[in-house]
Amino acid sequence: GQQLNQSPQSMFIQEGEDVSMNCTSSSIFNTWLWYKQDPGEGPVLLIALYKAGELTSNGRLTAQFGITRKDSFLNISASIPSDVGIYFCAGQLQGGSEKLVFGKGTKLTVNP
Amino acid sequence: GAGVSQTPSNKVTEKGKYVELRCDPISGHTALYWYRQSLGQGPEFLIYFQGTGAADDSGLPNDRFFAVRPEGSVSTLKIQRTERGDSAVYLCASSLNGQTGLFFGEGSRLTVL
């Protein structure tokens, strides 16, 4: 099936540091989304991207839809302890149904 | 409520039993999705409804899994003859029309003993 390669798998950072994670694929996507999941909770939508090249911010979070439509990145600036969690990229494939394909996640740990 | 509601939050059953998981989407959302998430993995697509019909059921692993959405709102995921490998968190999500971001419920954790 279609695969999203999400990296890094995990990150350990100090409070205040910036964070960057990304997703790549060999397939073309129409939509990229970034989610955060806390233990025992469902994923929560952070940012949605709908156009190639689009750069969108949500507070300290910034995400971009790659020009090739095969990749996306998420940046978190000035991390705080509550940023801890698992971040997932997800995308809707070009020519596919409206289902989302998810990456395997990036586990973020922030040390105070 | 304002969000996606899933019941039960936890279900423990024995191998071979039948299980139903319910999802109540955000009011007005026409698209409804079921995903399955195993420990340490991302959500895995099962089935997607647009209104009452299953628009894409390509993720259902086998014929023991079935889902319905008879009135275009609440959906039920049905699992027959459960197996230990079915143990996972089953997530439901809804979207305004399938073209915008999905909003997830908190999931139903299924444990098959």
mmCIF file of all heavy atoms in Angstrom, chain B residues 1-9 21-27 32 34 73-76 90-94 103-108:
data_model
loop_
_atom_site.group_PDB
_atom_site.id
_atom_site.type_symbol
_atom_site.label_atom_id
_atom_site.label_comp_id
_atom_site.label_asym_id
_atom_site.label_seq_id
_atom_site.Cartn_x
_atom_site.Cartn_y
_atom_site.Cartn_z
ATOM 1 N N GLY B 1 -22.834 16.297 22.282
ATOM 2 C CA GLY B 1 -21.600 17.015 22.501
ATOM 3 C C GLY B 1 -21.073 17.603 21.205
ATOM 4 O O GLY B 1 -21.555 17.318 20.120
ATOM 5 N N ALA B 2 -19.987 18.360 21.314
ATOM 6 C CA ALA B 2 -19.453 19.049 20.158
ATOM 7 C C ALA B 2 -18.507 18.181 19.354
ATOM 8 O O ALA B 2 -18.288 18.459 18.174
ATOM 9 C CB ALA B 2 -18.731 20.303 20.619
ATOM 10 N N GLY B 3 -17.940 17.142 19.960
ATOM 11 C CA GLY B 3 -16.931 16.342 19.284
ATOM 12 C C GLY B 3 -17.478 15.001 18.855
ATOM 13 O O GLY B 3 -18.667 14.703 18.986
ATOM 14 N N VAL B 4 -16.556 14.179 18.329
ATOM 15 C CA VAL B 4 -16.896 12.805 17.946
ATOM 16 C C VAL B 4 -16.946 11.954 19.211
ATOM 17 O O VAL B 4 -16.012 11.983 20.015
ATOM 18 C CB VAL B 4 -15.851 12.243 16.963
ATOM 19 C CG1 VAL B 4 -16.148 10.789 16.639
ATOM 20 C CG2 VAL B 4 -15.809 13.093 15.693
ATOM 21 N N SER B 5 -18.023 11.214 19.367
ATOM 22 C CA SER B 5 -18.212 10.407 20.568
ATOM 23 C C SER B 5 -18.165 8.929 20.209
ATOM 24 O O SER B 5 -18.834 8.486 19.269
ATOM 25 C CB SER B 5 -19.561 10.742 21.200
ATOM 26 O OG SER B 5 -19.820 9.911 22.309
ATOM 27 N N GLN B 6 -17.364 8.156 20.971
ATOM 28 C CA GLN B 6 -17.252 6.722 20.706
ATOM 29 C C GLN B 6 -17.578 5.941 21.975
ATOM 30 O O GLN B 6 -17.146 6.305 23.068
ATOM 31 C CB GLN B 6 -15.831 6.365 20.264
ATOM 32 C CG GLN B 6 -15.473 6.874 18.885
ATOM 33 C CD GLN B 6 -14.145 6.321 18.408
ATOM 34 O OE1 GLN B 6 -13.179 7.070 18.233
ATOM 35 N NE2 GLN B 6 -14.093 5.016 18.190
ATOM 36 N N THR B 7 -18.323 4.868 21.787
ATOM 37 C CA THR B 7 -18.626 3.977 22.904
ATOM 38 C C THR B 7 -18.533 2.531 22.452
ATOM 39 O O THR B 7 -18.813 2.218 21.278
ATOM 40 C CB THR B 7 -20.046 4.228 23.449
ATOM 41 O OG1 THR B 7 -20.992 4.116 22.374
ATOM 42 C CG2 THR B 7 -20.153 5.591 24.084
ATOM 43 N N PRO B 8 -18.116 1.600 23.337
ATOM 44 C CA PRO B 8 -17.576 1.899 24.666
ATOM 45 C C PRO B 8 -16.154 2.434 24.563
ATOM 46 O O PRO B 8 -15.513 2.291 23.531
ATOM 47 C CB PRO B 8 -17.609 0.521 25.334
ATOM 48 C CG PRO B 8 -17.371 -0.426 24.201
ATOM 49 C CD PRO B 8 -18.082 0.158 23.020
ATOM 50 N N SER B 9 -15.641 2.995 25.621
ATOM 51 C CA SER B 9 -14.257 3.447 25.600
ATOM 52 C C SER B 9 -13.302 2.256 25.753
ATOM 53 O O SER B 9 -12.189 2.282 25.239
ATOM 54 C CB SER B 9 -14.005 4.470 26.705
ATOM 55 O OG SER B 9 -14.378 3.952 27.955
ATOM 56 N N LEU B 21 -18.922 -1.635 18.018
ATOM 57 C CA LEU B 21 -18.366 -0.367 18.476
ATOM 58 C C LEU B 21 -19.150 0.749 17.794
ATOM 59 O O LEU B 21 -19.395 0.701 16.594
ATOM 60 C CB LEU B 21 -16.878 -0.277 18.121
ATOM 61 C CG LEU B 21 -16.001 -1.435 18.595
ATOM 62 C CD1 LEU B 21 -14.575 -1.281 18.067
ATOM 63 C CD2 LEU B 21 -15.994 -1.531 20.107
ATOM 64 N N ARG B 22 -19.501 1.760 18.572
ATOM 65 C CA ARG B 22 -20.385 2.815 18.064
ATOM 66 C C ARG B 22 -19.649 4.140 17.945
ATOM 67 O O ARG B 22 -18.793 4.468 18.780
ATOM 68 C CB ARG B 22 -21.572 2.960 19.001
ATOM 69 C CG ARG B 22 -22.518 4.109 18.691
ATOM 70 C CD ARG B 22 -23.539 4.318 19.793
ATOM 71 N NE ARG B 22 -24.214 5.596 19.665
ATOM 72 C CZ ARG B 22 -25.485 5.722 19.286
ATOM 73 N NH1 ARG B 22 -26.203 4.647 18.989
ATOM 74 N NH2 ARG B 22 -26.040 6.918 19.203
ATOM 75 N N CYS B 23 -20.032 4.900 16.918
ATOM 76 C CA CYS B 23 -19.462 6.228 16.701
ATOM 77 C C CYS B 23 -20.569 7.225 16.409
ATOM 78 O O CYS B 23 -21.405 7.000 15.528
ATOM 79 C CB CYS B 23 -18.477 6.204 15.537
ATOM 80 S SG CYS B 23 -17.844 7.837 15.094
ATOM 81 N N ASP B 24 -20.548 8.330 17.129
ATOM 82 C CA ASP B 24 -21.496 9.425 16.909
ATOM 83 C C ASP B 24 -20.677 10.624 16.408
ATOM 84 O O ASP B 24 -19.929 11.221 17.186
ATOM 85 C CB ASP B 24 -22.210 9.758 18.213
ATOM 86 C CG ASP B 24 -23.474 10.546 17.995
ATOM 87 O OD1 ASP B 24 -23.657 11.092 16.895
ATOM 88 O OD2 ASP B 24 -24.297 10.610 18.932
ATOM 89 N N PRO B 25 -20.784 10.967 15.128
ATOM 90 C CA PRO B 25 -19.910 12.014 14.572
ATOM 91 C C PRO B 25 -20.358 13.417 14.972
ATOM 92 O O PRO B 25 -21.412 13.595 15.585
ATOM 93 C CB PRO B 25 -20.070 11.811 13.065
ATOM 94 C CG PRO B 25 -21.480 11.324 12.917
ATOM 95 C CD PRO B 25 -21.712 10.450 14.130
ATOM 96 N N ILE B 26 -19.553 14.387 14.594
ATOM 97 C CA ILE B 26 -19.916 15.783 14.790
ATOM 98 C C ILE B 26 -21.159 16.090 13.948
ATOM 99 O O ILE B 26 -21.234 15.684 12.780
ATOM 100 C CB ILE B 26 -18.750 16.708 14.414
ATOM 101 C CG1 ILE B 26 -17.581 16.484 15.381
ATOM 102 C CG2 ILE B 26 -19.173 18.171 14.394
ATOM 103 C CD1 ILE B 26 -16.301 17.195 15.002
ATOM 104 N N SER B 27 -22.114 16.775 14.558
ATOM 105 C CA SER B 27 -23.355 17.078 13.869
ATOM 106 C C SER B 27 -23.091 17.839 12.572
ATOM 107 O O SER B 27 -22.324 18.798 12.534
ATOM 108 C CB SER B 27 -24.246 17.917 14.793
ATOM 109 O OG SER B 27 -25.440 18.283 14.132
ATOM 110 N N LEU B 32 -17.610 10.013 7.439
ATOM 111 C CA LEU B 32 -17.264 9.316 8.674
ATOM 112 C C LEU B 32 -16.260 8.221 8.340
ATOM 113 O O LEU B 32 -16.405 7.507 7.343
ATOM 114 C CB LEU B 32 -18.525 8.714 9.323
ATOM 115 C CG LEU B 32 -18.331 8.035 10.679
ATOM 116 C CD1 LEU B 32 -19.566 8.226 11.556
ATOM 117 C CD2 LEU B 32 -17.994 6.572 10.558
ATOM 118 N N TRP B 34 -13.510 5.055 9.899
ATOM 119 C CA TRP B 34 -13.032 4.164 10.950
ATOM 120 C C TRP B 34 -11.562 3.842 10.680
ATOM 121 O O TRP B 34 -11.183 3.509 9.544
ATOM 122 C CB TRP B 34 -13.830 2.863 10.978
ATOM 123 C CG TRP B 34 -15.188 2.970 11.589
ATOM 124 C CD1 TRP B 34 -16.390 3.089 10.950
ATOM 125 C CD2 TRP B 34 -15.492 2.931 12.989
ATOM 126 N NE1 TRP B 34 -17.418 3.150 11.857
ATOM 127 C CE2 TRP B 34 -16.900 3.056 13.117
ATOM 128 C CE3 TRP B 34 -14.732 2.812 14.158
ATOM 129 C CZ2 TRP B 34 -17.551 3.051 14.349
ATOM 130 C CZ3 TRP B 34 -15.370 2.811 15.377
ATOM 131 C CH2 TRP B 34 -16.762 2.930 15.474
ATOM 132 N N SER B 73 -25.672 9.208 10.033
ATOM 133 C CA SER B 73 -25.107 9.885 11.191
ATOM 134 C C SER B 73 -24.285 8.881 11.995
ATOM 135 O O SER B 73 -23.127 8.655 11.685
ATOM 136 C CB SER B 73 -26.208 10.509 12.039
ATOM 137 O OG SER B 73 -25.669 11.142 13.173
ATOM 138 N N VAL B 74 -24.909 8.238 12.977
ATOM 139 C CA VAL B 74 -24.219 7.263 13.818
ATOM 140 C C VAL B 74 -23.761 6.068 12.978
ATOM 141 O O VAL B 74 -24.458 5.632 12.056
ATOM 142 C CB VAL B 74 -25.155 6.783 14.946
ATOM 143 C CG1 VAL B 74 -24.563 5.603 15.694
ATOM 144 C CG2 VAL B 74 -25.446 7.937 15.904
ATOM 145 N N SER B 75 -22.586 5.553 13.315
ATOM 146 C CA SER B 75 -22.065 4.372 12.628
ATOM 147 C C SER B 75 -21.704 3.306 13.658
ATOM 148 O O SER B 75 -21.338 3.621 14.794
ATOM 149 C CB SER B 75 -20.825 4.736 11.817
ATOM 150 O OG SER B 75 -20.242 3.589 11.225
ATOM 151 N N THR B 76 -21.831 2.051 13.240
ATOM 152 C CA THR B 76 -21.444 0.927 14.080
ATOM 153 C C THR B 76 -20.451 0.054 13.328
ATOM 154 O O THR B 76 -20.695 -0.320 12.174
ATOM 155 C CB THR B 76 -22.672 0.072 14.461
ATOM 156 O OG1 THR B 76 -23.647 0.898 15.092
ATOM 157 C CG2 THR B 76 -22.265 -1.043 15.417
ATOM 158 N N TYR B 90 -9.763 1.313 18.241
ATOM 159 C CA TYR B 90 -10.537 1.608 17.036
ATOM 160 C C TYR B 90 -10.980 3.065 17.113
ATOM 161 O O TYR B 90 -11.713 3.456 18.013
ATOM 162 C CB TYR B 90 -11.717 0.642 16.909
ATOM 163 C CG TYR B 90 -11.239 -0.738 16.559
ATOM 164 C CD1 TYR B 90 -10.756 -1.603 17.544
ATOM 165 C CD2 TYR B 90 -11.207 -1.169 15.236
ATOM 166 C CE1 TYR B 90 -10.261 -2.859 17.225
ATOM 167 C CE2 TYR B 90 -10.723 -2.430 14.900
ATOM 168 C CZ TYR B 90 -10.248 -3.263 15.900
ATOM 169 O OH TYR B 90 -9.758 -4.503 15.574
ATOM 170 N N LEU B 91 -10.499 3.845 16.167
ATOM 171 C CA LEU B 91 -10.754 5.277 16.141
ATOM 172 C C LEU B 91 -11.802 5.615 15.085
ATOM 173 O O LEU B 91 -11.772 5.074 13.978
ATOM 174 C CB LEU B 91 -9.463 6.034 15.796
ATOM 175 C CG LEU B 91 -8.332 5.986 16.810
ATOM 176 C CD1 LEU B 91 -7.028 6.441 16.178
ATOM 177 C CD2 LEU B 91 -8.668 6.844 18.017
ATOM 178 N N CYS B 92 -12.687 6.508 15.446
ATOM 179 C CA CYS B 92 -13.663 7.024 14.498
ATOM 180 C C CYS B 92 -13.355 8.502 14.276
ATOM 181 O O CYS B 92 -12.913 9.207 15.199
ATOM 182 C CB CYS B 92 -15.075 6.862 15.041
ATOM 183 S SG CYS B 92 -16.364 7.545 13.984
ATOM 184 N N ALA B 93 -13.565 8.971 13.078
ATOM 185 C CA ALA B 93 -13.355 10.382 12.759
ATOM 186 C C ALA B 93 -14.470 10.858 11.843
ATOM 187 O O ALA B 93 -15.065 10.058 11.108
ATOM 188 C CB ALA B 93 -11.999 10.595 12.086
ATOM 189 N N SER B 94 -14.746 12.148 11.875
ATOM 190 C CA SER B 94 -15.703 12.698 10.931
ATOM 191 C C SER B 94 -15.127 13.960 10.290
ATOM 192 O O SER B 94 -14.191 14.573 10.808
ATOM 193 C CB SER B 94 -17.050 12.996 11.594
ATOM 194 O OG SER B 94 -16.975 14.088 12.498
ATOM 195 N N PHE B 103 -11.670 14.930 12.192
ATOM 196 C CA PHE B 103 -11.692 15.144 13.623
ATOM 197 C C PHE B 103 -12.000 13.810 14.293
ATOM 198 O O PHE B 103 -13.020 13.190 13.999
ATOM 199 C CB PHE B 103 -12.735 16.207 13.987
ATOM 200 C CG PHE B 103 -12.385 17.557 13.441
ATOM 201 C CD1 PHE B 103 -12.793 17.926 12.173
ATOM 202 C CD2 PHE B 103 -11.618 18.442 14.177
ATOM 203 C CE1 PHE B 103 -12.443 19.162 11.636
ATOM 204 C CE2 PHE B 103 -11.265 19.681 13.662
ATOM 205 C CZ PHE B 103 -11.683 20.042 12.388
ATOM 206 N N PHE B 104 -11.094 13.395 15.178
ATOM 207 C CA PHE B 104 -11.164 12.060 15.761
ATOM 208 C C PHE B 104 -11.846 12.056 17.115
ATOM 209 O O PHE B 104 -11.779 13.020 17.882
ATOM 210 C CB PHE B 104 -9.749 11.502 15.947
ATOM 211 C CG PHE B 104 -9.130 11.001 14.675
ATOM 212 C CD1 PHE B 104 -8.483 11.861 13.808
ATOM 213 C CD2 PHE B 104 -9.206 9.653 14.337
ATOM 214 C CE1 PHE B 104 -7.921 11.397 12.624
ATOM 215 C CE2 PHE B 104 -8.637 9.184 13.170
ATOM 216 C CZ PHE B 104 -8.002 10.060 12.316
ATOM 217 N N GLY B 105 -12.473 10.912 17.423
ATOM 218 C CA GLY B 105 -12.915 10.635 18.768
ATOM 219 C C GLY B 105 -11.767 10.080 19.587
ATOM 220 O O GLY B 105 -10.630 9.968 19.099
ATOM 221 N N GLU B 106 -12.063 9.718 20.835
ATOM 222 C CA GLU B 106 -11.005 9.236 21.726
ATOM 223 C C GLU B 106 -10.718 7.751 21.538
ATOM 224 O O GLU B 106 -9.758 7.249 22.095
ATOM 225 C CB GLU B 106 -11.369 9.533 23.181
ATOM 226 C CG GLU B 106 -11.425 11.033 23.450
ATOM 227 C CD GLU B 106 -11.485 11.349 24.926
ATOM 228 O OE1 GLU B 106 -11.748 10.423 25.733
ATOM 229 O OE2 GLU B 106 -11.278 12.514 25.293
ATOM 230 N N GLY B 107 -11.548 7.081 20.769
ATOM 231 C CA GLY B 107 -11.270 5.694 20.448
ATOM 232 C C GLY B 107 -11.953 4.706 21.378
ATOM 233 O O GLY B 107 -12.355 5.042 22.497
ATOM 234 N N SER B 108 -12.102 3.489 20.881
ATOM 235 C CA SER B 108 -12.580 2.366 21.675
ATOM 236 C C SER B 108 -11.448 1.353 21.737
ATOM 237 O O SER B 108 -11.011 0.841 20.687
ATOM 238 C CB SER B 108 -13.808 1.712 21.025
ATOM 239 O OG SER B 108 -14.919 2.564 21.055
#
